[in-house]
Amino acid sequence: TGNSVALTFFQHQDGNANSLNDDNAYYTVEDPEGNIWVGTYGGGINIITRQPNNTYRILNKLNGLHSYPKDSYQKIRTIALDKEGCVWAGTTDGILRMSLKHNKFVCETLENCDDPEHMLGSNDILYMTCDDNGSMWVGTNGEGLSHTIGKDDKGNWMFETFDAQDGL
């Protein structure tokens, strides 16, 4: 007679590596593959994947995301999806850009470019979003609002930043 909605509750369970690795879930996003990315403030990223038998599997640094940093990037405040379907996670340590395609997890840390005029002002990230042109906008803690303007010759992301001197 109508559409039904099924809710599934996920939480951390001590000793269960297939549960969320932290209950402080700050942000979620669904990627083009249908994976749900959960940014936690204390456990880093968790990815909920639907299995063929309609069950779920949770991936995190403890059970499958082996290239995820073990001792940093654990406090995620925001997640955004870019135009290529990659997930950007804003943490208290900087930005990660990740993807999970065909069961292959890729994780890269965004390093600042060498040009001081195009560096991200702070690695303490509060918010991110992708605009219609594909530029990622990054709100930092105390160092203004930045957006991506491309990559330098070494492949590092370059940013244009607006701060108090620009009227913020």
Side-chain angles (χ1 to χ4, degrees):
T1 59
N3 293 338
S4 64
V5 174
L7 298 175
T8 304
F9 182 70
F10 298 97
Q11 70 181 60
H12 172 72
Q13 298 169 356
D14 286 337
N16 182 356
N18 294 312
S19 69
L20 291 178
N21 65 356
D22 193 278
D23 279 335
N24 293 312
Y26 267 46
Y27 221 94
T28 62
V29 69
E30 182 178 3
D31 71 15
E33 306 281 321
N35 302 307
I36 304 296
W37 296 70
V38 181
T40 67
Y41 194 82
I45 203 75
N46 289 257
I47 308 171
I48 302 171
T49 63
R50 184 183 300 266
Q51 301 301 295
N53 60 359
N54 244 4
T55 61
Y56 296 94
R57 180 174 179 218
I58 298 176
L59 302 171
N60 55 51
K61 66 182 180 180
L62 303 174
N63 69 348
L65 304 184
H66 303 294
S67 62
Y68 192 90
K70 300 287 185 235
D71 299 320
S72 55
Y73 300 92
Q74 302 305 305
K75 295 179 178 178
I76 296 175
R77 288 192 184 111
T78 184
I79 301 175
L81 196 63
D82 70 15
K83 288 285 194 178
E84 296 172 4
C86 292
V87 174
W88 291 49
T91 77
T92 58
D93 297 313
I95 300 173
L96 295 174
R97 186 172 185 257
M98 301 168 284
S99 65
L100 179 64
K101 295 179 181 166
H102 310 293
N103 294 319
K104 182 177 181 199
F105 176 69
V106 176
C107 180
E108 67 174 301
T109 58
L110 266 67
E111 303 296 332
N112 257 326
C113 68
D114 293 334
D115 181 355
E117 289 191 27
H118 291 114
M119 289 181 170
L120 186 62
S122 169
N123 281 331
D124 194 2
I125 311 303
L126 298 176
Y127 186 77
M128 290 189 305
T129 191
C130 186
D131 69 20
D132 291 341
N133 296 320
S135 182
M136 190 64 70
W137 288 82
V138 180
T140 63
N141 188 10
E143 295 298 328
L145 177 66
S146 303
H147 74 101
T148 55
I149 56 172
K151 291 184 176 183
D152 66 11
D153 293 340
K154 295 180 182 176
N156 295 319
W157 287 93
M158 297 186 304
F159 294 87
E160 178 181 29
T161 298
F162 305 96
D163 57 19
Q165 294 176 353
D166 300 302
L168 287 182

